[in-house]
Amino acid sequence: MRNLSFTRIASLFLLSAFIGLPLYSQSYLVRTYTENDGLASSTIHDLAQTPDGRIWFATRAGISVYDGRSWTTYSAPGGFPAVSVSKLAVDANGSLWAWGDNPRALLACFRDGRWERQAALAAPGEAIEPVGLVITGPPNRETAILGTLHSGVFLLRDGVWKRIRKSDGLASDRVCGMAADGDTIFAATDRGVTIIRNGTADDSLNRSFPILQKGVLGVLEEKTASGSRLWLAGQTWLARLSGGKFELMAEKLVTHVDDTHPNIVLSPDGTGGVFFGNPYALYHLQAAAREVDLLDMNSGLIAEGATSILLDREMNVWVASLRGLSKISGHRFANFRKVQGLLEDEVTAMARLKDGRIVFGHNSGLTFFDGRSFRPRPFPVQSKGQPTGTRVLDLFVDAAGTIWAAAAGGGLARISPDGSIRWFGREAGLVGQVSSVADAGNGRLLVTSNEGLRLFSGDRSVPMPGAASLPLYLRKIGITLDGRVFATSSSSGIYILGRDGWAQCLSPDSSYANDVFSAVDDGDRLLVGTMAGLYEVKDGRLRLFTRPGLRLERPVYLILREPGGALWFGTDNGAVRWDGRETRTYTIKQGFAGSEVNRSAGLVDGSGRVWIGTNTGVSRYHAEFDFPAGRIPPPLVSIHGIKAGGVWLPADRPLRLSPRRNNLEFEFQAITFVDENAVRYRYLLDGFDARWSDPRPAGEGLIRYTNLPPGHYVFRLRAENALGGWSDPIASPEIDIAAPLARHWWFYLLVGAVFLLLGYAAFQLVTEKRTARNLERQVRDRTAQIRTALEEKNVLLREIHHRVKNNLQIVSSLLSMQARKVKDPESLALFRESMDRIRAMALIHENLYRSESAAAIGAADYIRRLARDLMAAYALRAGNIGLELDVADVPMSPDIAFPCGLIINELVSNSLKHAFPEGRPGTIRIGLREDRGEYILTVADDGVGLPPGVDAEAGGSLGLRLVRKLAGQLGGALAIESGAGAEFIVRFPAGAPLEGEPLAGSP
């Protein structure tokens, strides 16, 4: 490494001797990586990309792999079984193979997350110095081909190593590179290229193309749309072989090689060109222009050369070196700054000379570019008569090749072809800021300054005729395609010179739109760049210019037209290209040189390339590297794991989770290297989310859902790269979160059945209660009706009983009146007996109509009144006769009361008439009690007893026969006891007790 700077200087010196090879470097959108970013070592020997998108790096401290977010290193011990790794290769199955050589040489394959050692290579006494590794053949039957610097080629097939040397047909044992096209192997040696098929060497290619015999230092097989082509690099030439056609792409190259770095590494650029170099220098051949550009540290690389180059799937160029890693994310813009040779970083104006050179204006001078190198030309230091403030605001080259520079406060500068400069200022009539210059024809110039628009000719300027109506300060002067002059202003819009003089065009909508920077005649319209955006002159006014996909409402400083018709708009944040169909925006993130574009800093060079100057450099647009939509693939998206309930689960099979494991985390990866920090993603959880999420930064690559309800879910994800390319959605396996016990179908069925039963029971209960309430209501209503009817009946019965009682009294009175006419004592006695019986019945009816219930009377009150009436009727006889009553107050229905009353009437009457003759004193006892369901009625006296000869059982008198008959009517029987008086006992069933309240009038 000590002689690296010397060899680079020598190489550059030798290269500079060859006309036509540009030696200037240019900067691109580059990012660098070292150990500080995660590499195992900054000394990188080789690199490769596997189908999953990850980039692998062979370093002197192991193997590192990068996925755009994190780095992983495999190194001994515990990782790759060797410390230093020199070569990498990817087989047809996507597995990575690596060759390590410290502490000893070995080959290993990375499968299923682990390294598998292959058969050891035995080469006693020889140092294996690999220069290329190729893997061919079908999966699990791969053939490994290893090219070495001094020992020829080694083939590993079916676990056995085979060696191919010069004696086996190899052009030389000094191999400089390896490439493969299917099972065909190309070995580049210092004596040509050998084709190896099925272990057999073929040297025929060298005979067909003798230049190969001078030595091939590098070889590359490139897949193309039409097949494949082979790139071959010698020390002084670069060629490609396609379809049997051999084509030299570059000659007279000087490439430094030595025993330390004897070969050249190559990589396609994706547009038909190729990158090539070694650790001393790196170049890029642009095939269309046949130009070779130098890439070095001034281009933004971390080192001057390369140990390996990789064009990844997204057209990023990875450059490995001995000092770290560089990634070129885009070649659409080649940028030039002071470090590449410009006088200053800021480019304020541009013009193209007739010989093809480009002149760049800066704040204090000019830079000339001849296609190979930059020549800065600062303006001379201020001298007497030269004003200060020399910012070049505009450049114009006249027919003689003289450059005219509108240099603000410096005035107008004339730069002759011989390089001499003359300044014109106040003495030439140009006062203050000179802002623009253009051709007025006939050797005259249009110049704008603080004195307004002037005509410059010879050494002096005069006011332009008819321009008195224009503002004193104008920004830009120009000519339309039809020859009309236009001038832009900072507050008054744009002025266009026509047949009738100057016409002012203003915006009726925005004062900012009247602050105009530039204008371009696009054939059908005059487009105007303003502080408010892109406008057009329409009907004498400034109107916002819009088309599908194009609407600029930010400052537009520069408008530039490509030969093909596409338009460029330089803004305060990059540039916009519009080809009439598609709009593309370029900022620093897309490799554009700066943020703010200067209004006169744009041109198209002799090769048709667009140049645009900014505040931090100038950009040259390479259309062939501005890949169309779809050429740059979207990110590779994958779901690595699913975390459920705190446990990581595989993401390659359906998951059934318990109800408690309803907190999910999805770990995903979106691999893109366009700009790793600009990855965005959107996601959707089918079964939960109603729509896709808004785009958001990838961040840590985790998406969380908490407290998900039971259900069926599928997680979907897509990612976007920095260019706006979205990947197709990917989906996780199906995820089922089981319902709790209470959510299973059979549980619902059971609960449903229970609810049905409960509902039925409730229905029955409600129905029963409703029925009971209805019945109660009906009973109440019926009871009320019955009570009403009963009361009416009682009233009616009382009335009947009262009428019957009155009628019986009438009958009794009639008998009494009739008895007065009866003289016969026996007949009179009969009348009186009848009257007593009628009185007894009348008394019952009287008690019934007085009682609260017409259906029953109180026995005690009835018998007491009946006995007293009888005693009163027989007052003469009963003067010495006492009455004792022992009557239970039981209710008696009329069916019982009538017979009982008649029985008592007969028995008491008999006692009063016969038991106490001749005024004999005594006592009559009447008793009524209830015993075991029957009534016992007793009538007794202590009189003389029954007369002798009276047979009570046989019948006796009429009265006794009546009493016996009445007892039978009650369902009872009469018993007579005679001794010291007479006792009559009648037993009869009590019958059912009466309902209702107690009888009124009870004692």
Side-chain angles (χ1 to χ4, degrees):
M1 297 298 292
R2 291 180 182 177
N3 62 347
L4 180 59
S5 61
F6 170 77
T7 55
R8 178 176 182 269
I9 294 172
S11 176
L12 292 176
F13 175 77
L14 291 171
L15 276 170
S16 66
F18 298 99
I19 305 295
L21 291 181
L23 300 183
Y24 63 89
S25 63
Q26 52 229 316
S27 65
Y28 296 98
L29 184 60
V30 178
R31 179 177 177 181
T32 61
Y33 308 83
T34 65
E35 290 181 44
N36 296 326
D37 298 292
L39 277 166
S41 170
S42 294
T43 301
I44 307 169
H45 300 133
D46 202 3
L47 65 167
Q49 184 175 34
T50 46
D52 61 6
R54 296 187 295 171
I55 310 291
W56 298 76
F57 308 93
T59 79
R60 71 177 180 182
I63 294 179
S64 293
V65 59
Y66 181 47
D67 60 14
R69 189 179 71 199
S70 60
W71 296 79
T72 303
T73 294
Y74 300 94
S75 181
F80 185 76
V83 176
S84 180
V85 184
S86 57
K87 291 299 170 185
L88 300 174
V90 179
D91 63 23
N93 201 36
S95 299
L96 182 76
W97 295 64
W99 178 269
D101 48 23
N102 185 13
R104 67 189 189 90
L106 59 88
L107 180 67
C109 178
F110 189 73
R111 289 193 182 101
D112 300 326
R114 62 187 183 88
W115 291 98
E116 300 175 358
R117 293 193 185 192
Q118 307 301 308
L121 175 60
E126 293 186 61
I128 304 297
E129 299 179 61
V131 294
L133 176 65
V134 174
I135 308 297
T136 65
N140 301 317
R141 295 196 62 188
E142 299 90 353
T143 297
I145 303 98
L146 182 70
T148 67
L149 185 58
H150 300 290
S151 305
V153 175
F154 293 87
L155 280 75
L156 175 63
R157 182 179 295 164
D158 298 329
V160 178
W161 285 98
K162 176 184 178 181
R163 184 175 182 180
I164 301 176
R165 294 184 292 187
K166 185 176 181 180
S167 58
D168 301 310
L170 194 65
S172 171
D173 286 342
R174 186 180 178 87
V175 179
C176 299
M178 303 287 296
D181 184 7
D183 292 330
T184 300
I185 311 301
F186 299 94
T189 76
D190 62 350
R191 292 293 183 267
V193 177
T194 298
I195 300 174
I196 302 174
R197 293 188 183 94
N198 298 321
T200 302
D202 178 6
D203 197 33
S204 61
L205 199 60
N206 297 320
R207 295 189 295 273
S208 300
F209 308 105
I211 192 174
L212 303 181
Q213 298 176 23
K214 296 179 180 180
V216 180
L217 304 184
V219 61
L220 167 69
E221 190 273 332
E222 179 187 9
K223 301 294 184 185
T224 66
S226 59
S228 63
R229 58 180 164 224
L230 198 66
W231 287 91
L232 303 165
Q235 191 168 3
T236 61
W237 54 269
L238 183 67
R240 65 185 179 189
L241 178 62
S242 178
K245 179 182 178 181
F246 186 85
E247 184 179 9
L248 278 173
M249 300 300 294
E251 297 182 83
K252 299 181 180 181
L253 295 173
V254 175
T255 307
H256 179 76
V257 294
D258 54 27
D259 286 342
T260 304
H261 302 291
N263 60 334
I264 295 175
V265 294
L266 299 100
S267 173
D269 68 359
T271 66
V274 68
F275 295 92
F276 64 98
N278 61 13
Y280 300 124
L282 177 63
Y283 304 98
H284 178 206
L285 169 68
Q286 298 184 44
R290 296 288 182 97
E291 294 180 354
V292 177
D293 299 329
L294 174 67
L295 299 173
D296 57 12
M297 294 176 68
N298 289 336
S299 303
L301 303 183
I302 202 169
E304 300 296 339
T307 56
S308 182
I309 313 168
L310 170 70
L311 180 70
D312 71 13
R313 59 183 292 272
E314 297 173 297
M315 301 300 172
N316 300 300
V317 179
W318 299 79
V319 181
S321 75
L322 301 176
R323 292 182 175 176
L325 177 68
S326 302
K327 181 191 68 178
I328 305 174
S329 294
H331 277 77
R332 65 173 61 87
F333 293 107
N335 300 319
F336 305 92
R337 299 181 176 88
K338 187 175 181 179
V339 69
Q340 277 82 31
L342 292 178
L343 176 65
E344 299 172 5
D345 281 344
E346 184 166 14
V347 176
T348 58
M350 290 187 218
R352 181 162 63 93
L353 303 179
K354 292 184 178 300
D355 60 6
R357 290 181 300 160
I358 298 174
V359 57
F360 303 100
H362 305 287
N363 291 305
S364 59
L366 305 172
T367 299
F368 293 86
F369 176 64
D370 62 6
R372 294 183 298 130
S373 62
F374 295 94
R375 288 193 304 112
R377 183 73 182 272
F379 291 141
V381 178
Q382 179 182 357
S383 60
K384 186 178 180 180
Q386 177 191 343
T388 60
T390 55
R391 178 181 173 89
V392 178
L393 298 177
D394 200 2
L395 286 171
F396 169 70
V397 180
D398 64 18
T402 301
I403 303 170
W404 296 88
L412 179 67
R414 182 180 67 191
I415 301 95
S416 301
D418 61 4
S420 62
I421 300 177
R422 182 178 175 182
W423 292 92
F424 302 92
R426 182 176 293 274
E427 75 284 355
L430 301 174
V431 179
Q433 301 286 319
V434 177
S435 57
S436 184
V437 58
D439 185 17
N442 300 320
R444 299 176 301 169
L445 298 177
L446 293 169
V447 181
T448 60
S449 73
N450 285 12
E451 290 294 325
L453 180 59
R454 302 181 71 83
L455 278 174
F456 183 87
S457 179
D459 295 339
R460 298 194 60 79
S461 67
V462 296
M464 183 176 177
S469 61
L470 300 180
L472 289 179
Y473 179 75
L474 298 171
R475 271 210 182 100
K476 184 77 173 175
I477 193 75
I479 310 296
T480 64
L481 293 178
D482 58 4
R484 290 180 297 163
V485 179
F486 66 82
T488 69
S489 71
S490 60
S491 60
S492 303
I494 186 170
Y495 295 83
I496 303 173
L497 180 59
R499 293 180 180 180
D500 299 327
W502 291 95
Q504 183 184 17
C505 299
L506 290 169
S507 169
D509 304 317
S510 170
S511 61
Y512 288 106
N514 296 321
D515 187 358
V516 181
F517 297 97
S518 60
V520 163
D521 188 349
D522 191 33
D524 298 331
R525 55 194 168 241
L526 184 64
L527 296 179
V528 181
T530 78
M531 181 64 76
L534 180 62
Y535 279 66
E536 65 175 323
V537 175
K538 190 173 184 179
D539 299 328
R541 296 178 180 269
L542 291 180
R543 301 290 187 182
L544 183 68
F545 181 75
T546 60
R547 292 295 184 272
L550 177 66
R551 185 186 182 96
L552 293 178
E553 295 183 273
R554 65 186 313 147
V556 175
Y557 302 127
L558 168 72
I559 305 177
L560 179 65
R561 184 177 59 246
E562 289 184 15
L567 291 171
W568 287 82
F569 309 104
T571 74
D572 61 339
N573 185 29
V576 175
R577 183 178 185 269
W578 179 60
D579 62 6
R581 301 179 306 276
E582 181 183 11
T583 301
R584 295 191 182 187
T585 301
Y586 307 102
T587 66
I588 292 174
K589 290 184 177 182
Q590 285 76 42
F592 196 63
S595 57
E596 186 171 298
V597 176
N598 288 310
R599 64 176 179 263
S600 297
L603 60 79
V604 179
D605 66 17
S607 300
R609 295 190 185 278
V610 172
W611 294 71
I612 298 178
T614 75
N615 58 325
T616 54
V618 61
S619 289
R620 182 179 68 185
Y621 177 64
H622 292 205
E624 65 272 24
F625 290 102
D626 196 7
F627 301 114
R631 178 69 186 276
I632 304 298
L636 290 172
V637 186
S638 59
I639 299 172
H640 284 183
I642 302 174
K643 191 176 185 180
V647 178
W648 283 106
L649 303 171
D652 57 355
R653 59 176 179 268
L655 300 176
R656 291 191 59 83
L657 306 174
S658 66
R660 294 184 178 181
R661 302 176 72 180
N662 62 343
N663 294 328
L664 300 182
E665 290 186 31
F666 298 92
E667 182 183 33
F668 70 92
Q669 188 174 49
I671 297 181
T672 173
F673 298 107
V674 175
D675 184 351
E676 300 96 309
N677 297 323
V679 182
R680 300 196 306 168
Y681 68 91
R682 301 178 69 186
Y683 62 89
L684 169 72
L685 185 62
D686 277 346
F688 184 79
D689 293 324
R691 61 179 182 86
W692 285 86
S693 70
D694 294 329
R696 59 191 63 188
E700 60 182 354
L702 282 177
I703 298 172
R704 297 177 176 88
Y705 284 88
T706 59
N707 297 321
L708 287 171
H712 179 78
Y713 302 101
V714 175
F715 179 69
R716 303 185 189 279
L717 180 76
R718 60 187 313 198
E720 179 194 37
N721 60 24
L723 301 177
W726 282 96
S727 67
D728 292 332
I730 63 168
S732 72
E734 295 179 348
I735 303 170
D736 285 309
I737 299 178
L741 185 62
R743 298 285 297 275
H744 286 283
W745 66 268
W746 51 265
F747 182 82
Y748 282 109
L749 186 61
L750 179 61
V751 170
V754 171
F755 274 108
L756 285 175
L757 291 175
L758 291 176
Y760 178 75
F763 174 76
Q764 288 293 103
L765 180 61
V766 170
T767 301
E768 290 178 0
K769 286 186 175 181
R770 183 178 298 150
T771 303
R773 286 196 298 268
N774 291 336
L775 289 175
E776 289 177 0
R777 185 172 60 254
Q778 293 175 7
V779 168
R780 286 195 301 270
D781 295 343
R782 187 60 179 165
T783 301
Q785 294 174 0
I786 292 173
R787 285 178 178 172
T788 301
L790 184 60
E791 289 177 359
E792 293 175 352
K793 180 181 178 181
N794 286 337
V795 170
L796 180 61
L797 287 175
R798 289 190 187 97
E799 183 64 23
I800 292 172
H801 288 307
H802 180 65
R803 291 178 180 272
V804 171
K805 171 258 200 188
N806 290 339
N807 292 333
L808 290 175
Q809 285 182 344
I810 292 172
V811 171
S812 178
S813 296
L814 292 173
L815 290 175
S816 177
M817 293 173 62
Q818 190 66 35
R820 291 178 188 157
K821 299 177 179 181
V822 176
K823 303 300 183 181
D824 180 26
E826 290 183 2
S827 298
L828 185 59
L830 292 173
F831 270 99
R832 288 180 176 173
E833 288 177 359
S834 297
M835 290 169 60
D836 291 339
R837 292 184 182 107
I838 291 172
R839 188 182 301 112
M841 291 187 290
L843 184 60
I844 292 173
H845 286 287
E846 182 180 359
N847 282 343
L848 283 174
Y849 85 79
R850 288 181 178 177
S851 174
E852 290 185 359
S853 174
I857 61 174
D861 182 63
Y862 168 65
I863 293 173
R864 182 180 304 111
R865 292 187 62 186
L866 178 62
R868 289 178 179 173
D869 287 347
L870 290 172
M871 295 293 289
Y874 293 90
L876 296 176
R877 298 180 181 179
N880 298 323
I881 300 171
L883 178 65
E884 293 181 2
L885 297 175
D886 184 14
V887 179
D889 191 13
V890 295
M892 278 188 180
S893 66
D895 292 339
I896 296 175
F898 282 113
C900 285
L902 293 174
I903 290 172
I904 292 171
N905 179 75
E906 293 298 325
L907 294 176
V908 171
S909 297
N910 284 337
S911 294
L912 290 174
K913 289 189 293 183
H914 304 293
F916 305 101
E918 300 178 355
R920 180 178 176 176
T923 302
I924 297 174
R925 298 186 304 275
I926 301 173
L928 179 66
R929 60 188 177 89
E930 184 179 4
D931 183 23
R932 297 179 182 179
E934 63 180 5
Y935 288 141
I936 302 174
L937 176 63
T938 304
V939 178
D941 61 59
D942 55 359
V944 296
L946 293 175
V950 175
D951 185 2
E953 296 298 332
S957 65
L958 176 61
L960 287 178
R961 290 197 302 272
L962 180 60
V963 168
R964 186 173 285 108
K965 189 173 289 293
L966 290 171
Q969 183 178 340
L970 289 171
L974 173 65
I976 302 173
E977 294 181 2
S978 181
E983 182 177 10
F984 300 88
I985 301 170
V986 179
R987 293 176 180 270
F988 57 92
L994 296 174
E995 295 182 5
E997 298 178 0
L999 297 173
S1002 298

